[in-house]
Amino acid sequence: YEDKTLEQAINTFESYMNDLLHLCRVDSYILCLTGKKNFRYEVDPSYKSNRVGLEKPKWFKEVRQHMIDSWEAVQVDGIEADDMVIIIRNSLENSFIVAVDKDLLNCVSGIHFDARKGQGHFVTVTEAQANFAFVKSILTGDAVDGIPNVKKGYGPKTAEKELLASTDTTLEETALNIFIRELGEEEGKNRFEKQKKLLKMLESLEDLPEGVTFEIPEPTCYDCVEAEFSDDQYRLELQNY
């Protein structure tokens, strides 16, 4: 949006949403935004500290407000949009998650729509696949959110190899043992539990942290106008945003 006017930025967002909803074949949606504060900061004050001081994209606040005013986007203070979409999906029948976030697409079981560039299609993630991806993330951390891996240089391939090699313990037990091996028993256990709390996304209203209130919103109806392009063309359009 750096070279766009506000009107152009909003028009780009509008086109993106319409192209995306065309591909998803939906008649309603719920658009979720991360609110203020976050219970994960209480788990680890350094959570996402690597983003402190980074400048937001041009027109960020204005386009965000347009999402709320014109697309009825919802936000809840204290939790993230990732938490919201899972809770909503688990609460509403015939619903699915649309995301570009790798954690939502890999660490949550079910049918999702992969909206990343070059994708634009539905994927199915089994319980086993989701659990494996989640436990692997505990070991590898998340650099985007400032969550470190179990040790420097420990990447996805090493995590997969060690998790697959262990057959006499659960995946979480294996991950815990790796933390203890690398960091010692006390620090290993503490780091493992902290990583798990930071990375685990909420699944139901019962999981909400104390003081956070959230009611499942009514879906916003979407009147899908007649398609202008084929699905393949819409997928190509998604790559332009």
Side-chain angles (χ1 to χ4, degrees):
Y1 295 146
E2 294 302 316
D3 59 345
K4 296 180 182 293
T5 65
L6 175 57
E7 182 179 4
Q8 289 172 328
I10 289 176
N11 287 340
T12 298
F13 169 75
E14 292 278 326
S15 297
Y16 173 77
M17 284 296 294
N18 284 308
D19 289 349
L20 191 58
L21 294 174
H22 264 296
L23 276 174
C24 292
R25 300 287 198 276
V26 298
D27 55 16
S28 62
Y29 67 89
I30 299 174
L31 180 59
C32 299
L33 302 174
T34 295
K36 298 176 182 178
K37 301 181 181 179
N38 190 328
F39 77 93
R40 291 178 177 84
Y41 294 132
E42 298 177 10
V43 177
D44 185 354
S46 66
Y47 179 63
K48 293 189 176 182
S49 60
N50 56 328
R51 302 187 188 184
V52 174
L54 294 180
E55 186 177 356
K56 296 287 188 183
K58 186 179 181 181
W59 307 126
F60 176 84
K61 291 183 179 179
E62 292 83 355
V63 174
R64 179 186 173 91
Q65 190 60 48
H66 177 75
M67 295 179 188
I68 296 171
D69 295 340
S70 299
W71 287 81
E72 300 183 28
V74 293
Q75 61 182 21
V76 177
D77 292 342
I79 62 176
E80 299 182 38
D82 293 3
D83 302 308
M84 294 171 62
V85 297
I86 298 172
I87 293 173
I88 292 170
R89 193 283 305 270
N90 291 343
S91 301
L92 297 180
E93 294 184 358
N94 301 319
S95 62
F96 56 87
I97 293 171
V98 180
V100 298
D101 182 84
K102 62 178 177 57
D103 295 322
L104 280 172
L105 293 170
N106 295 325
C107 299
V108 181
S109 63
I111 298 174
H112 317 312
F113 188 87
D114 186 344
R116 293 176 295 183
K117 286 187 177 182
Q119 303 302 317
H121 56 78
F122 285 96
V123 296
T124 300
V125 180
T126 66
E127 288 279 359
Q129 290 171 329
N131 186 48
F132 188 89
F134 170 66
V135 177
K136 184 175 74 172
S137 74
I138 296 176
L139 290 166
T140 59
D142 189 334
V144 175
D145 289 338
I147 303 174
N149 47 9
V150 63
K151 70 172 183 178
K152 188 175 181 179
Y154 193 97
K157 290 185 178 180
T158 304
E160 289 177 7
K161 181 179 178 180
E162 293 205 286
L163 290 174
L164 290 172
S166 181
T167 58
D168 56 350
T169 59
T170 66
L171 291 175
E172 285 199 14
E173 288 171 342
T174 300
L176 173 58
N177 290 335
I178 293 171
F179 270 86
I180 293 174
R181 181 192 72 199
E182 299 297 335
L183 303 173
E185 185 165 1
E186 184 175 358
E187 185 181 353
K189 287 181 177 178
N190 290 338
R191 272 282 307 280
F192 172 80
E193 289 300 327
K194 180 184 288 186
Q195 298 271 101
K196 185 177 175 181
K197 290 178 181 177
L198 290 173
L199 291 162
K200 182 67 174 177
M201 290 173 279
L202 307 182
E203 297 180 351
S204 70
L205 293 173
E206 287 70 30
D207 294 335
L208 289 175
E210 184 177 355
V212 175
T213 58
F214 175 41
E215 294 184 2
I216 304 299
E218 288 291 327
T220 299
C221 292
Y222 178 71
D223 294 325
C224 188
V225 296
E226 185 177 350
E228 297 180 40
F229 311 115
S230 66
D231 283 359
D232 286 341
Q233 183 61 42
Y234 276 117
R235 291 188 183 96
L236 289 174
E237 289 294 317
L238 287 181
Q239 297 187 50
N240 296 326
Y241 301 112

